[in-house]
Amino acid sequence: MSKILVTGFEPFATSSLNPSGEIVKALKGDDLVTAILPVVFGQASSTLKELIDLHKPTALLCLGQAEGRSEMTPERIAINLDNARIADNAGNQPLEQRIMADGPDGHFSTLPIEKMVASMKAAGIPASISLSAGTFVCNHIFYVLQDYLKDSSIKSGFMHVPLMDEQRREYPTLPTMPIRQMVAGVQISLDVLRV
C-alpha cells in the first residue's frame, strides 16, 4: 500500500501559530503519516530523515509558512544555502553557509508541481509555482530531503502556504487564507500524488 508522509512546522519567532502545522493536524487519509517538525536547522532535517527511514513513504510533501504570500506555492528548487534573517527556535542563525559543503548548488522537486497547481486552481484555490523557498529552515529541509532521496523513486518536495486568518492580529498588513482552504489545497495536491 502506498504511504504519503506530510510534515509541517511548529510556530516560530513571535508567532503562536504555524499554518503548516495546523494543516497537518487537520489532514485525513488512511495512507497518510503526518509529523510536525521543530524550527531548528539541523534537528528538523535529521528528524525528517528518521521519519523517512521509519515509515518508508512512497511520496513526501513538506509544508511551511511563508509570510507575505497569498497563494499555495509548491517550490521548484531548493538551494544549497543557509542565510537566516532571524534565529531559529534554538537560537541558531547561520549566515551565508552552504548546507552541504560538497553538495550541488540546487536540487529540484520531484513532485508533479504543475499538476498540483492546476488542480488547486481548478478548485478555486489560489496557487502558483514558486522559484524560491528562501534560505531559512524550510529551504534547509527541502534541500536535505531532495539530496537524501536523489537516488530513490520516492516523489518528494516542499510547498509554502500563506498565513492563516487567525494570524491577522500578529501580521495585520500581510495576506492570509482560511485554514480550511489551505487544507483543501493540500488534500487536492495529495490526490494528485495518489494517481
Side-chain angles (χ1 to χ4, degrees):
M1 181 181 163
S2 65
K3 191 184 292 183
I4 303 174
L5 174 60
V6 187
T7 69
F9 279 109
E10 66 185 358
F12 66 99
T14 58
S15 192
S16 59
L17 293 167
N18 187 320
S20 68
E22 298 306 309
I23 291 165
V24 163
K25 292 177 194 173
L27 290 175
K28 303 278 189 274
D30 293 340
D31 62 342
L32 296 182
V33 176
T34 60
I36 296 176
L37 301 175
V39 180
V40 179
F41 276 93
Q43 190 181 345
S45 51
S46 61
T47 300
L48 182 58
K49 289 192 282 189
E50 288 168 10
L51 289 165
I52 293 167
D53 293 344
L54 175 65
H55 296 290
K56 299 181 175 27
T58 50
L60 201 152
L61 175 62
C62 296
L63 305 172
Q65 167 184 304
E67 312 91 68
R69 294 195 189 176
S70 57
E71 300 174 309
M72 306 288 282
T73 51
E75 299 293 344
R76 189 178 293 281
I77 188 169
I79 60 169
N80 190 1
L81 179 67
D82 286 338
N83 191 31
R85 62 180 170 77
I86 58 171
D88 69 13
N89 283 355
N92 305 304
Q93 192 172 5
L95 298 172
E96 298 294 334
Q97 291 180 17
R98 287 180 73 82
I99 297 169
M100 299 179 74
D102 56 351
D105 290 339
H107 280 299
F108 285 91
S109 174
T110 55
L111 296 175
I113 56 175
E114 290 89 353
K115 191 170 181 188
M116 289 164 60
V117 165
S119 298
M120 285 188 279
K121 283 183 169 180
I125 297 167
S128 66
I129 292 171
S130 168
L131 298 177
S132 175
T135 53
F136 195 51
V137 182
C138 290
N139 176 74
H140 184 99
I141 69 157
F142 182 21
Y143 184 90
V144 171
L145 169 66
Q146 299 311 106
D147 190 80
Y148 194 59
L149 297 179
K150 67 185 176 206
D151 297 319
S152 87
S153 62
I154 301 170
K155 298 294 184 197
S156 60
F158 195 96
M159 180 159 58
H160 268 117
V161 300
L163 296 168
M164 55 198 286
D165 290 349
E166 291 81 354
Q167 293 174 286
R168 280 188 183 138
R169 276 183 294 177
E170 293 172 272
Y171 301 95
T173 63
L174 297 179
T176 62
M177 185 181 285
I179 187 72
R180 68 182 180 281
Q181 191 174 34
M182 290 192 269
V183 171
V186 172
Q187 291 281 21
I188 288 165
S189 297
L190 296 177
D191 287 342
V192 169
L193 300 184
R194 293 181 175 109
V195 175

